[in-house]
Amino acid sequence: MKTIQELIIPENDAENFKNRDKKQIFNELFIAKENLDIILESNKYFLIGEKGTGKTSYAVFFSNNDYKNTFATIKYIR
């Protein structure tokens, strides 16, 4: 069991986990891995959903990891 001082309070936006020092903690926290193969199907083009449903989390996961030889980068349009 961890003490309160050892607890890590995660960022509230997956975008903040792109930095090298936070990639490991993101990979430990990211649990939606059962959908990764569905997202990579060749007939999928967009991830659409309400704010807070994990779209950016999937993008960060793919850009941080080599999952099934998938190369991904994130380009933000603001």
Side-chain angles (χ1 to χ4, degrees):
M1 179 178 278
K2 293 185 178 188
T3 65
I4 291 176
Q5 291 80 12
E6 295 174 314
L7 294 176
I8 298 170
I9 299 173
E11 302 284 340
N12 62 349
D13 190 348
E15 179 178 344
N16 298 326
F17 286 97
K18 292 188 329 179
N19 300 333
R20 180 178 299 174
D21 58 332
K22 295 186 179 181
K23 286 182 181 182
Q24 182 61 35
I25 188 69
F26 177 80
N27 285 336
E28 292 174 12
L29 295 173
F30 186 72
I31 57 173
K33 294 181 180 178
E34 65 273 358
N35 293 321
L36 295 176
D37 293 329
I38 296 170
I39 292 171
L40 291 178
E41 291 176 0
S42 62
N43 63 342
K44 303 290 190 246
Y45 298 98
F46 299 101
L47 278 181
I48 299 171
E50 296 291 327
K51 182 173 176 58
T53 57
K55 300 176 301 293
T56 304
S57 297
Y58 283 112
V60 169
F61 177 83
F62 285 124
S63 68
N64 284 351
N65 299 284
D66 180 21
Y67 183 79
K68 296 192 175 182
N69 296 319
T70 299
F71 175 76
T73 59
I74 300 175
K75 302 293 183 198
Y76 293 101
I77 301 171
R78 303 210 191 268

